[in-house]
Amino acid sequence: MIHANKQLPLPRILTLGFIVIIIVGTILLSLPISTNSGHSTGYLNALFTATSATCITGMTVVNTALHWSIFGKIVILILVEVGGLGFMTFAVLLFSFLKRKVDLTTSLLTQESLSIQSTDKVYRVVQLVICFSLLIQGLGTALLFIDFGSRYGFWKGLGYSIFHSISAFCNAGFDLYANSLTKFAGDSYLLLVLSGLIIAGSLGFLVWEDLLLFRQNHHLSLHTKLALVTYLGLIVISFIVYLTTEQNFSQHTQLSAGQRLIDTFFISVSPRTAGFSIFNYNQFSDAGILFTIILMFIGGTPGSTAGGIKTTTVGILLIKVWSILRGKRDSTFMGRRFSDDNVNRSLTLGFLVVITLSIAALVLLTTETIPKYMGFEYIIFDVVSAFGTTGLTLGLTPHLTIIGKLIFCVLMFMGRVGIFTVMYSILTTNHPDDEFRYPEENIMIG
Amino acid sequence: MIHANKQLPLPRILTLGFIVIIIVGTILLSLPISTNSGHSTGYLNALFTATSATCITGMTVVNTALHWSIFGKIVILILVEVGGLGFMTFAVLLFSFLKRKVDLTTSLLTQESLSIQSTDKVYRVVQLVICFSLLIQGLGTALLFIDFGSRYGFWKGLGYSIFHSISAFCNAGFDLYANSLTKFAGDSYLLLVLSGLIIAGSLGFLVWEDLLLFRQNHHLSLHTKLALVTYLGLIVISFIVYLTTEQNFSQHTQLSAGQRLIDTFFISVSPRTAGFSIFNYNQFSDAGILFTIILMFIGGTPGSTAGGIKTTTVGILLIKVWSILRGKRDSTFMGRRFSDDNVNRSLTLGFLVVITLSIAALVLLTTETIPKYMGFEYIIFDVVSAFGTTGLTLGLTPHLTIIGKLIFCVLMFMGRVGIFTVMYSILTTNHPDDEFRYPEENIMIG
Ligand SMILES: [K+]
Ligand SMILES: [K+]
């Protein structure tokens, strides 16, 4: 493990960095100037909103549009942008603006945040991240303005366009409406623009870089290939599943067949991990709800604005299982072999997340109250949504108890910063590994 | 992979063997002579009962005590004993009775069934299995007869003692009462005897062998140590959790404090994977239900009468996660290191089970009807119970649709025969692994 210095290993710096940003956000949002009413929001709800924004989850305990003032909304937007592009990108950017050479420590820090593997690529990637993000978000704003401008006039339309373009690209899921985007279920143009922004953000910068440089390099990395295949595969599967299960609820049957296809496309794209909803998830079929939970659990590509255990992790796991069942020694994909370390890390991550979410659910089943007409899905849906930084809800989040809100803050934080990074920064001691190894012995399993 | 012969690999023989036993059981149970009414049960319910008995799950779609005749009950009991001790043990026994030398093929077959690793131990283990099982079940019958004999008179008391002794030792969960063992919630003697039988059966034969030979060898294998620690750890944790969450329902508050302690001990032992219930699980708290689902998922020790992903698998996974978080290279336990293969197999097994159960739940959420006052737990509890061969129910099993019954048969079968074994026998081709290996490339995950 590479350490930034002898006292503070990298994961700990990253964890602390996010904590500092959330604390600053909490203080700003708890100021009276941040609310429309002119009264302070209170620290708990300010903390929840700041965590939700920094971790680009989009879960809310107060209504974003009505509760927060313009100042509050700008604070949220900045937290989203900082959380979305990664505060490490900003640190490097700051260094380059100050004309200092980016030193190894900062470079390594950024590497950790973006999950990039070779240090020399960091600088190039940071430039790409900034330029590309601003370009896409600008384009998104322009496209959204065509709709919002005619709807709300110039200034309000521009504000709404900027807010939702950033929120969609960062997969933040914050919106300025009372019931998420339910009123736009029939607005195909808006849904397609938002889908484009969501996909652009959650594909990840490294995939985009690889795609943009393809003409030059005539080569895609294994990461990009696996990410694209799993991403497209998941969208196709989601589309087919929702096309089967979610065509019968009242809001949907009023629309034309074409509009329903685009709606179905949008609900296939959004749960991993944008969190915009054009339908109330309470209306979904049971199978649709479980499928959405699975999608939120998976999330997007690593090194992107997405949460969850990540598409590449799931891809590796599926390939590994398949190769074991076929009796093959190696897990391979498109003529490349996955390293044992990759496979091990994927499996361990999946298991660690399952343990964490189970414990959270166990506590929340005790502290929260489930409505009479619902069961475990009321808790599990929102728990996975928080960890996957998706932000969808079956109704629990606005009614969370104090303990519930604190647990959700921890889940959103772990989902965004990375469960390995958080756990590692708490648990790892600096003692180097002993040279001595215990003898190996086999165990029966399964 | 060792093959029994060139045409039929071992996992496929094992899978086919179980299928043959289930088919024979189905035919016998669908005879009119098997029922009290004298009418045939019908193939679907006979198949369900035969699968449930052979896979020692204990799930029922008809009431065991009322529906089946003495003949039917004896068929069930034989299926339980065959499924519990493993039909492979019986095959070797048959060979040794016929005074033939046990050949390598049969020996390897038995090894596969009991998950033993060195071939020379097979013969010794089979002897031990038979003697030890009969001894314990005989002792159990005698101890139960003290209660049942005075309760029902000699013959009925003896029958009930034999039935429940076998059912408890094999962790089968079949009983001769209308509502499982709910009428015995206050009967501490009976609950302690049954707990002893359940533990004896689900600890596994290899652990017992190791324990019985300890005086001679002065050494316990890593398997035995890990199995004992995880087993005891799980009982202690379960006891504490249930002591916290399950003290308030009406049936419990009528009892004395001592009786409630023994009840709590019993419900800590039974869900992994005996499946006797002294309370209706509908009365449990939400946290208690989720915790029970987790216990059923874990199950008992491999090479025992238990189902689930197994205690040692969970033990390895926890140790692996802990060592990764502590930044250690090796996963170690009590001065021994786990092989990479062990760790990999554990992680893959866990993931494969989660995928299988998710797909089953997804289909069942579409085909089955959830009562108004419940949610996903109604499906998930019984799905995990079937796969864990536990047999507890929140109420779904007796109301299963045709598709539901068939899915449950597959789940029980996979849970008992082993998901690796079943999948492998379907998927593996006999082509040897190519010498050629693809080049390795890293992927970003998590
Ligand atoms: K989100
Ligand atoms: K059972």
Side-chain angles (χ1 to χ4, degrees):
Chain A
M1 188 64 216
I2 307 156
H3 291 180
N5 60 51
K6 274 171 194 165
Q7 273 66 51
L8 219 50
L10 287 177
R12 215 165 284 177
I13 295 179
L14 190 64
T15 307
L16 288 176
F18 261 90
I19 291 176
V20 168
I21 293 174
I22 290 172
I23 291 174
V24 172
T26 306
I27 293 170
L28 289 175
L29 288 178
S30 63
L31 296 176
I33 192 183
S34 292
T35 65
N36 270 331
S37 66
H39 300 295
S40 167
T41 305
Y43 284 114
L44 186 62
N45 286 344
L47 171 71
F48 191 94
T49 307
T51 309
S52 176
T54 311
C55 302
I56 49 175
T57 308
M59 287 188 148
T60 51
V61 282
V62 294
N63 184 284
T64 309
L66 303 176
H67 181 84
W68 303 108
S69 63
I70 301 272
F71 176 81
K73 281 168 191 152
I74 290 173
V75 169
I76 290 174
L77 214 54
I78 291 171
L79 291 175
V80 164
E81 194 77 285
V82 172
L85 305 190
F87 78 99
M88 280 305 127
T89 318
F90 277 76
V92 180
L93 187 71
L94 195 68
F95 268 87
S96 69
F97 270 144
L98 295 172
K99 305 270 182 210
R100 287 187 206 158
K101 194 160 173 271
V102 176
D103 64 32
L104 187 67
T105 306
T106 319
S107 197
L108 285 171
L109 275 169
T110 320
Q111 181 187 355
E112 186 77 27
S113 170
L114 294 172
S115 319
I116 305 153
Q117 277 153 342
S118 57
T119 312
D120 59 337
K121 285 174 72 181
V122 169
Y123 201 89
R124 201 159 45 108
V125 167
V126 170
Q127 283 187 308
L128 189 80
V129 168
I130 306 297
C131 297
F132 183 75
S133 305
L134 292 182
L135 192 72
I136 299 282
Q137 290 177 38
L139 184 66
T141 304
L143 291 173
L144 290 177
F145 186 72
I146 295 172
D147 188 313
F148 285 140
S150 65
R151 204 184 282 263
Y152 303 119
F154 186 80
W155 287 110
K156 191 180 173 191
L158 185 66
Y160 269 57
S161 302
I162 293 174
F163 190 96
H164 291 98
S165 177
I166 293 179
S167 184
F169 178 77
C170 291
N171 280 243
F174 279 94
D175 61 78
L176 299 176
Y177 299 94
N179 290 308
S180 195
L181 303 183
T182 44
K183 63 184 285 192
F184 297 110
D187 193 334
S188 304
Y189 173 79
L190 202 72
L191 296 185
L192 285 176
V193 173
L194 289 173
S195 297
L197 285 166
I198 291 169
I199 292 173
S202 67
L203 257 187
F205 304 118
L206 290 198
V207 172
W208 280 112
E209 188 196 18
D210 235 23
L211 288 176
L212 295 174
L213 296 176
F214 182 68
R215 283 201 165 184
Q216 198 176 313
N217 296 339
H218 300 287
H219 169 260
L220 292 178
S221 68
L222 183 60
H223 170 77
T224 299
K225 288 180 197 160
L226 183 63
L228 285 175
V229 169
T230 48
Y231 201 96
L232 290 177
L234 280 168
I235 288 186
V236 171
I237 293 170
S238 312
F239 189 75
I240 294 168
V241 169
Y242 287 131
L243 212 52
T244 322
T245 63
E246 308 309 324
Q247 297 304 312
N248 298 322
F249 48 80
S250 59
Q251 204 188 346
H252 222 174
T253 43
Q254 300 159 3
L255 302 173
S256 72
Q259 281 174 324
R260 277 157 63 180
L261 275 186
I262 289 172
D263 277 4
T264 308
F265 176 71
F266 188 81
I267 60 171
S268 308
V269 169
S270 184
R272 299 180 10 264
T273 85
F276 286 132
S277 49
I278 50 172
F279 302 119
N280 192 329
Y281 274 84
N282 283 317
Q283 293 185 294
F284 270 44
S285 71
D286 289 330
I289 287 174
L290 180 59
F291 188 74
T292 308
I293 291 175
I294 296 171
L295 288 182
M296 295 192 297
F297 184 78
I298 295 174
T301 317
S304 77
T305 54
I309 67 165
K310 307 294 182 322
T311 52
T312 51
T313 313
V314 172
I316 288 187
L317 291 176
L318 289 175
I319 290 165
K320 169 74 182 171
V321 165
W322 185 247
S323 64
I324 283 200
L325 291 177
R326 300 282 300 181
K328 307 235 181 210
R329 180 178 44 175
D330 295 334
S331 311
T332 59
F333 181 72
M334 291 193 178
R336 287 287 180 279
R337 176 161 55 90
F338 297 118
S339 69
D340 288 344
D341 184 58
N342 252 183
V343 175
N344 257 318
R345 217 179 117 95
S346 304
L347 290 166
T348 313
L349 176 70
F351 183 65
L352 192 56
V353 171
V354 169
I355 295 179
T356 309
L357 298 189
S358 299
I359 294 173
L362 214 51
V363 177
L364 289 165
L365 280 171
T366 318
T367 59
E368 313 301 310
T369 313
I370 300 179
K372 281 243 185 306
Y373 53 90
M374 277 204 191
F376 279 27
E377 65 273 24
Y378 183 70
I379 303 285
I380 294 170
F381 191 93
D382 284 35
V383 162
V384 175
S385 173
F387 181 81
T389 70
T390 309
L392 297 176
T393 179
L394 268 186
L396 169 63
T397 308
H399 302 109
L400 281 171
T401 59
I402 294 173
I403 296 173
K405 281 177 187 169
L406 292 175
I407 290 176
F408 268 57
C409 284
V410 173
L411 287 175
M412 292 189 283
F413 187 78
M414 283 185 161
R416 183 62 193 143
V417 178
I419 198 161
F420 271 139
T421 310
V422 174
M423 294 264 187
Y424 190 90
S425 34
I426 298 169
L427 295 170
T428 306
T429 51
N430 281 334
H431 302 299
D433 233 351
D434 288 329
E435 279 305 300
F436 172 76
R437 298 181 85 180
Y438 287 112
E440 188 176 299
E441 191 174 331
N442 266 331
I443 288 281
M444 276 188 292
I445 54 154
Chain B
M1 190 65 217
I2 308 156
H3 290 180
N5 59 51
K6 274 171 192 165
Q7 273 67 50
L8 220 51
L10 287 177
R12 215 165 284 176
I13 295 179
L14 190 64
T15 307
L16 288 176
F18 261 90
I19 290 176
V20 168
I21 293 174
I22 290 172
I23 291 174
V24 172
T26 304
I27 294 170
L28 290 175
L29 288 178
S30 61
L31 297 175
I33 192 183
S34 292
T35 65
N36 271 329
S37 65
H39 299 294
S40 168
T41 304
Y43 284 113
L44 186 61
N45 286 345
L47 171 71
F48 191 93
T49 307
T51 309
S52 176
T54 311
C55 302
I56 50 174
T57 308
M59 286 187 149
T60 51
V61 282
V62 294
N63 185 282
T64 310
L66 303 176
H67 181 85
W68 304 107
S69 63
I70 303 274
F71 177 81
K73 281 169 192 153
I74 291 173
V75 170
I76 290 174
L77 213 54
I78 292 171
L79 292 175
V80 164
E81 195 77 286
V82 173
L85 305 189
F87 79 99
M88 280 304 128
T89 318
F90 277 77
V92 179
L93 187 71
L94 195 68
F95 268 88
S96 70
F97 270 143
L98 296 172
K99 304 271 182 208
R100 286 189 205 155
K101 194 160 173 274
V102 175
D103 64 32
L104 187 68
T105 305
T106 320
S107 197
L108 284 171
L109 275 169
T110 321
Q111 181 187 354
E112 186 75 29
S113 171
L114 294 170
S115 319
I116 304 154
Q117 277 151 343
S118 56
T119 311
D120 59 338
K121 285 173 72 181
V122 168
Y123 200 89
R124 200 159 44 105
V125 167
V126 170
Q127 283 187 310
L128 190 82
V129 167
I130 305 298
C131 298
F132 183 77
S133 305
L134 293 182
L135 193 74
I136 298 281
Q137 291 177 38
L139 184 66
T141 304
L143 290 172
L144 289 177
F145 185 71
I146 294 172
D147 189 311
F148 285 139
S150 65
R151 204 184 282 262
Y152 304 119
F154 186 80
W155 287 111
K156 191 180 173 190
L158 185 65
Y160 270 57
S161 302
I162 294 173
F163 190 96
H164 292 96
S165 178
I166 293 177
S167 183
F169 178 77
C170 291
N171 280 246
F174 279 94
D175 61 78
L176 298 176
Y177 298 95
N179 290 306
S180 196
L181 304 182
T182 44
K183 62 184 286 194
F184 298 110
D187 192 335
S188 304
Y189 173 79
L190 202 72
L191 295 184
L192 286 176
V193 173
L194 290 174
S195 298
L197 285 166
I198 291 168
I199 292 173
S202 67
L203 258 186
F205 305 119
L206 289 199
V207 171
W208 280 111
E209 186 196 20
D210 235 23
L211 289 176
L212 295 173
L213 297 175
F214 182 67
R215 284 201 166 185
Q216 198 176 313
N217 297 340
H218 301 286
H219 169 261
L220 292 178
S221 68
L222 182 60
H223 170 77
T224 299
K225 287 180 195 161
L226 183 63
L228 286 176
V229 169
T230 47
Y231 201 97
L232 291 176
L234 280 169
I235 288 186
V236 171
I237 292 170
S238 310
F239 190 74
I240 294 169
V241 168
Y242 288 131
L243 214 52
T244 322
T245 62
E246 308 309 324
Q247 296 305 310
N248 298 322
F249 49 80
S250 59
Q251 205 189 346
H252 221 175
T253 45
Q254 301 159 5
L255 304 173
S256 73
Q259 281 174 323
R260 277 157 61 180
L261 276 185
I262 289 172
D263 278 3
T264 308
F265 176 71
F266 189 81
I267 58 172
S268 308
V269 169
S270 184
R272 295 182 11 266
T273 84
F276 285 133
S277 49
I278 51 172
F279 302 120
N280 191 329
Y281 275 84
N282 283 319
Q283 293 185 297
F284 271 43
S285 70
D286 289 331
I289 288 174
L290 180 59
F291 189 74
T292 308
I293 290 175
I294 295 170
L295 288 182
M296 295 192 297
F297 184 78
I298 295 174
T301 316
S304 79
T305 56
I309 66 164
K310 308 295 181 323
T311 52
T312 50
T313 312
V314 172
I316 289 187
L317 291 177
L318 288 174
I319 290 166
K320 170 72 184 173
V321 165
W322 185 247
S323 64
I324 281 199
L325 292 176
R326 300 282 299 179
K328 307 236 181 210
R329 179 179 43 175
D330 294 336
S331 310
T332 59
F333 180 72
M334 292 195 176
R336 287 287 181 281
R337 176 161 56 90
F338 297 118
S339 69
D340 287 345
D341 184 58
N342 254 182
V343 175
N344 257 318
R345 218 178 117 94
S346 306
L347 290 166
T348 313
L349 177 69
F351 183 66
L352 191 55
V353 171
V354 169
I355 295 178
T356 308
L357 298 189
S358 300
I359 294 172
L362 214 51
V363 177
L364 289 164
L365 280 170
T366 318
T367 59
E368 312 302 309
T369 312
I370 300 178
K372 280 243 184 307
Y373 53 91
M374 277 202 191
F376 278 28
E377 65 273 24
Y378 183 70
I379 303 284
I380 294 170
F381 191 93
D382 283 35
V383 163
V384 176
S385 174
F387 181 80
T389 69
T390 309
L392 297 176
T393 177
L394 269 186
L396 168 63
T397 307
H399 302 110
L400 281 172
T401 59
I402 295 173
I403 296 173
K405 281 176 187 169
L406 292 174
I407 290 176
F408 268 56
C409 284
V410 173
L411 288 175
M412 294 189 281
F413 187 78
M414 282 186 162
R416 183 63 193 142
V417 178
I419 197 161
F420 271 138
T421 310
V422 175
M423 294 262 186
Y424 189 91
S425 33
I426 299 169
L427 296 170
T428 305
T429 51
N430 280 335
H431 301 301
D433 234 351
D434 289 329
E435 279 305 301
F436 171 76
R437 297 181 83 181
Y438 286 112
E440 189 175 300
E441 189 174 330
N442 267 329
I443 286 283
M444 275 189 289
I445 54 153

